Amino acid sequence: MPPLAWDNALGSAAAVYAQQMAMSGRFQHSNRKARPGIGENLWMGSHGVFSIEAMVGGWSSEKRWFAPGIFPAVSRTGDWEDVGHYTQMIWPTTTRVGCAIASSQRTDYLVCRYARKGNVDGRTVGYALR
């Protein structure tokens, strides 16, 4: 699959939402209707403890449970949510990404936004497109 290209607009939108979470202390996905066609991965952890590599590495580590197939039947555990961050990262029609981190005194929040969104029911993930 082709590498993801950085998208400044996605990064700016991710920054706005990361800041909202940092200010409110609420860790939850943004409203899907406010970001049509855009996927989203979220991470939170203790402020200043984790590197960006560790944050994203948590999502990448889901690969160990991933089984190529038709979404949502793509997890060796039987629960697609165990691989949902990873599948968004490798989704075959996702081509652009933008990420941002915002912090409160205690917590760092990472938001990555993806276009086009992944994790679409009935779509194949994990095989080469032909």
Side-chain angles (χ1 to χ4, degrees):
M1 76 189 157
L4 295 177
W6 183 260
D7 185 296
N8 286 332
L10 291 173
S12 293
V16 168
Y17 191 64
Q19 189 61 41
Q20 286 176 6
M21 286 195 298
M23 291 176 67
S24 70
R26 285 187 300 204
F27 181 70
Q28 63 188 31
H29 281 284
S30 63
N31 185 331
R32 289 182 189 186
K33 291 179 182 178
R35 52 177 172 86
I38 305 297
E40 182 176 78
N41 279 349
L42 305 179
W43 182 96
M44 69 176 276
S46 297
H47 178 58
V49 174
F50 299 91
S51 67
I52 186 70
E53 293 83 7
M55 295 173 188
V56 174
W59 299 335
S60 297
S61 73
E62 294 174 0
K63 180 180 181 178
R64 67 184 177 268
W65 296 305
F66 174 70
I70 306 295
F71 194 86
V74 294
S75 176
R76 298 181 203 289
T77 68
D79 185 352
W80 74 267
E81 290 182 349
D82 291 336
V83 298
H85 300 101
Y86 178 72
T87 54
Q88 174 58 85
M89 292 169 67
I90 66 158
W91 199 261
T93 57
T94 297
T95 58
R96 297 174 291 127
V97 64
C99 302
I101 298 171
S103 302
S104 67
Q105 287 185 344
R106 297 183 189 161
T107 308
D108 291 333
Y109 298 88
L110 169 64
V111 177
C112 285
R113 298 259 173 108
Y114 302 84
R116 297 186 312 184
K117 74 180 182 105
N119 298 345
V120 179
D121 286 353
R123 300 289 173 91
T124 301
V125 63
Y127 297 106
L129 295 177
R130 297 174 200 250

